[in-house]
Amino acid sequence: VIQSTAAVHRGCSGGALVDVACGSLLGLITTNVKQHDGAIMPQVNFSLPVNHLRPLRDFLEGPGGAPGIERLAQEWEACAADEQERRLWRLEPERVPLPSRMEAGKRQALRLMQHLAEEAERLAANPPADIQPADADASASSPPKATATAALRRSAL
């Protein structure tokens, strides 16, 4: 596969990729690069190298017929793309496992929420001695919210 920066617009696939310095045929233009949103980048494209077209030229110049087609298929099989080249032609992005700052922040927030929930349960079951109910009717097992919140703040520090 040849990657070039020649400006190739839609409908020009199949055209010749030519070396302007000497006029020699380098390849056959096949596809442009597409961005993730589907936008075509006409200045980046791929071509089949001219040596991959040799079996077709030999077939067209030869006697043809069934034996010629079999030979063409065998010769093209020898030029077939490997898996990495096939991924390139399908324009599959490589998966790179990058750390996500958002995921790290989410995990940290979930750990903090879990810690606070556990601390609230602990305080509800065994309130500290310095926490007194706001009125005489309040039950000893459930401290008032404002007092429990103050205790949570102290315990988180």
Side-chain angles (χ1 to χ4, degrees):
V1 176
I2 300 172
Q3 179 181 342
S4 68
T5 57
V8 176
H9 296 281
R10 202 172 215 150
C12 293
S13 293
L17 180 65
V18 178
D19 182 348
V20 294
C22 63
S24 65
L25 177 66
L26 298 174
L28 185 71
I29 299 168
T30 57
T31 187
N32 291 103
V33 171
K34 291 182 183 177
Q35 296 178 357
H36 289 294
D37 64 359
I40 295 174
M41 298 174 57
Q43 70 279 8
V44 180
N45 52 75
F46 298 103
S47 301
L48 287 174
V50 72
N51 64 334
H52 282 44
L53 302 174
R54 183 186 47 76
L56 179 60
R57 186 196 68 212
D58 294 347
F59 171 74
L60 294 173
E61 290 176 349
I69 292 174
E70 288 176 21
R71 191 176 92 243
L72 175 63
Q74 290 171 353
E75 288 183 22
W76 263 346
E77 184 64 33
C79 296
D82 62 20
E83 184 54 34
Q84 182 178 5
E85 290 171 323
R86 285 193 286 272
R87 277 198 317 269
L88 176 67
W89 281 101
R90 288 189 301 260
L91 301 177
E92 291 179 359
E94 291 187 34
R95 303 289 180 223
V96 180
L98 297 175
S100 169
R101 295 175 79 181
M102 190 165 95
E103 285 297 317
K106 181 180 171 183
R107 284 191 301 273
Q108 182 180 5
L110 289 172
R111 281 192 303 267
L112 181 58
M113 287 173 56
Q114 179 67 32
H115 171 74
L116 290 174
E118 291 169 358
E119 190 66 21
E121 287 177 17
R122 186 185 68 74
L123 287 172
N126 301 313
D130 63 338
I131 297 179
Q132 300 299 321
D135 58 18
D137 295 332
S139 102
S141 65
S142 60
K145 287 184 182 178
T147 311
T149 302
L152 277 174
R153 284 189 189 133
R154 282 195 306 271
S155 69
L157 298 175

